[in-house]
Amino acid sequence: MCGRFALTATPDQTAAFLGVTELEEFPARYNIAPTQPVLAATAGPPREPGSNLPDRQAMLVRWGLIPAWVKDTREFPLLINARSESVLEKASFKTAMRHRRALIPASGFYEWQQSGGKKGQPYWIRPRRGGMVAFACLIETYSEPGGSEMDTGAIITTQANSGIAHIHDRMPVVIGERDFTRWLDCRTQEPRDVLDLLKPVEPDFFEAIPVSDLVNKVANTGPEIQERGIVAPQPEKTGRQKPGANEDQMSLF
């Protein structure tokens, strides 16, 4: 899964990368976590002939998709990721896959190498050649009972490539710049037409840097969490787990 990522590029760099108009100022974000607002790009409305305006637009979405048909969010899990293998069949994602595909810009992401069934060594995983990446994203607009609307999103994941499979078996889907337009085009590109984009990047695309466990806490938001570090193995706890508990499941509120 992808449970944390970072966006440390400047607004100008991010706007140029996504091909959107000028973005409002925002600080570097080193530890973006679920339920926080994240920047996304979608296809813009049709342009008039001869217009030189960008055909993409930026928006903020809450990381954690809520399908429009959900009645009680307290009874619904937080969907931060969507598996590429099932986005066409899962009720939570198939409508967004057809109508609301998006891109989430990132400087890299974090993943944890499991140790004894628990999170062990965290890694900062970034493009080996530098620069930014765009994760494939699905967006749903959820109407709350009070009448207000909230844009929500999930990052699509796929099987990890051989370069990081020793850390985790999943990784975010990275959409290459040459494929931005095709991925975002929900008017003429059917979901089946873009399934070929939902694949792992080349094995040498990312480099994985071991970091300290500072990244484990959402309150830690400075660049120090990306500094190289090794986490000492922790002894196994013998406490009983509540029946049905799952430490990987997240609740919305």
Side-chain angles (χ1 to χ4, degrees):
M1 63 183 292
C2 175
R4 299 282 180 83
F5 68 97
L7 176 59
T8 58
T10 67
D12 287 346
Q13 290 170 333
T14 305
F17 175 68
L18 294 175
V20 300
T21 54
E22 184 178 351
L23 297 172
E24 293 184 6
E25 287 296 318
F26 59 80
R29 301 178 66 189
Y30 292 91
N31 197 5
I32 301 172
T35 74
Q36 293 180 351
V38 297
L39 179 66
T42 63
R47 304 300 186 189
E48 295 293 332
S51 172
N52 60 358
L53 293 174
D55 59 359
R56 300 172 196 150
Q57 59 187 9
M59 63 185 299
L60 287 177
V61 303
R62 189 187 192 197
W63 186 12
L65 185 142
I66 309 175
W69 45 261
V70 170
K71 301 299 183 183
D72 187 353
T73 57
R74 293 171 299 182
E75 301 296 327
F76 195 78
L78 183 62
L79 301 177
I80 64 172
N81 293 155
R83 294 176 68 91
S84 61
E85 299 88 343
S86 57
V87 289
L88 295 188
E89 290 79 32
K90 289 283 188 179
S92 297
F93 305 121
K94 62 182 182 180
T95 301
M97 182 67 182
R98 177 173 294 276
H99 299 293
R100 290 175 289 277
R101 299 191 296 265
L103 299 168
I104 289 181
S107 301
F109 66 101
Y110 301 95
E111 195 53 85
W112 284 259
Q113 190 175 47
Q114 301 296 310
S115 175
K118 297 186 177 183
K119 285 185 178 180
Q121 176 65 52
Y123 285 83
W124 164 233
I125 302 174
R126 66 185 183 186
R128 188 177 301 275
R129 298 174 181 84
M132 302 172 63
V133 294
F135 298 149
C137 172
L138 299 177
I139 290 176
E140 277 281 13
T141 300
Y142 179 71
S143 297
E144 298 178 300
S148 61
E149 293 185 339
M150 174 172 58
D151 294 317
T152 67
I155 294 172
I156 301 179
T157 66
T158 186
Q159 182 178 358
N161 61 28
S162 59
I164 65 170
H166 65 288
I167 300 173
H168 199 277
D169 62 352
R170 306 291 296 178
M171 67 186 304
V173 170
V174 174
I175 303 295
E177 289 187 65
R178 66 183 180 278
D179 295 314
F180 282 5
T181 298
R182 184 157 70 98
W183 170 253
L184 295 177
D185 182 5
C186 297
R187 300 187 186 95
T188 67
Q189 298 292 310
E190 297 285 334
R192 63 176 180 269
D193 298 329
V194 295
L195 280 180
D196 63 296
L197 300 178
L198 305 184
K199 60 185 179 182
V201 291
E202 297 79 9
D204 63 345
F205 183 88
F206 285 117
E207 61 177 344
I209 302 168
V211 295
S212 75
D213 58 4
L214 288 174
V215 67
N216 293 5
K217 295 183 178 180
V218 177
N220 295 329
T221 59
E224 65 277 1
I225 69 174
Q226 294 181 354
E227 295 177 1
R228 186 176 294 270
I230 301 296
V231 175
Q234 298 295 314
E236 291 290 333
K237 294 183 179 180
T238 58
R240 293 180 60 189
Q241 187 179 33
K242 293 181 180 180
N246 184 344
E247 64 182 13
D248 290 330
Q249 187 176 23
M250 297 182 179
S251 60
L252 184 59
F253 297 108

